[in-house]
Amino acid sequence: EKVGSDEAKAIIESNRTRLKSYQSALRTFCRSEHCPAGVRVELIFAVLDSIKLEASKRFQVENLDFVLQLICCGDQLTELLLETLSTEYFRYVDVTYYGLKSLSQLCTKLKGNKSAVADVEDTIC
C-alpha cells in the first residue's frame, strides 16, 4: 500500500505543478498587448475560475492578486470584475479578508508615496 500512496502523491504533485503553469500562462496572456479584447475577457474569467481549481484549503492568491490589480488599474472590465468577485468569491471569508487586505496595502503605498504610483502602475497595469 505504501507504493500506491507514493504514486498518488506523485500524481497530485504533478497535477499541482501543471495547474500552476496553466495559471501563469493565463496571467501572461492577459497582460499581452497583442491579446484581442474578446480573448482577454475570456482569459480573465478563466483566471478567476482557476482560483477554485485546486481542492485544498488555500485559494489561489496569485490569481486573486492579478484580478485585484486589474481592478486598481481601471481596466475596462472593472465593473464586471467587481460584480463577479463580490457575488462569487467574496462570500468566502478567506478570499474577502485577503482581498481587502491586499487592496488596503496597495492604497497605502499609493497614498504615502506619490512616486510609488508610477512604480505600482508599471508593475500591475
Side-chain angles (χ1 to χ4, degrees):
E1 274 191 45
K2 180 73 172 156
V3 173
S5 176
D6 289 342
E7 288 175 8
K9 287 180 183 178
I11 290 170
I12 289 169
E13 187 57 36
S14 174
N15 285 341
R16 189 171 286 137
T17 301
R18 288 179 183 164
L19 177 62
K20 293 270 186 208
S21 295
Y22 166 72
Q23 293 168 336
S24 177
L26 288 175
R27 292 189 304 268
T28 300
F29 291 138
C30 283
R31 286 186 188 107
S32 171
E33 60 189 45
H34 302 293
C35 184
V39 173
R40 188 166 184 264
V41 169
E42 294 303 321
L43 289 171
I44 291 170
F45 283 104
V47 169
L48 272 174
D49 287 342
S50 73
I51 290 172
K52 305 178 205 176
L53 284 179
E54 189 173 341
S56 70
K57 294 183 183 208
R58 181 186 171 275
F59 65 93
Q60 301 300 313
V61 172
E62 300 84 8
N63 296 330
L64 180 60
D65 276 342
F66 178 76
V67 173
L68 292 173
Q69 291 167 358
L70 289 177
I71 291 169
C72 288
C73 290
D75 189 90
Q76 295 172 346
L77 303 169
T78 296
E79 187 175 327
L80 186 56
L81 289 172
L82 280 172
E83 182 180 332
T84 303
L85 278 173
S86 65
T87 58
E88 295 184 29
Y89 297 91
F90 283 168
R91 63 183 173 179
Y92 302 106
V93 174
D94 56 344
V95 175
T96 302
Y97 174 79
Y98 180 81
L100 293 174
K101 184 177 175 182
S102 180
L103 286 173
S104 173
Q105 290 171 350
L106 180 60
C107 290
T108 300
K109 283 181 188 176
L110 293 174
K111 183 178 175 186
N113 184 358
K114 299 297 182 193
S115 65
V117 172
D119 294 340
V120 170
E121 286 178 351
D122 288 344
T123 303
I124 65 176
C125 300

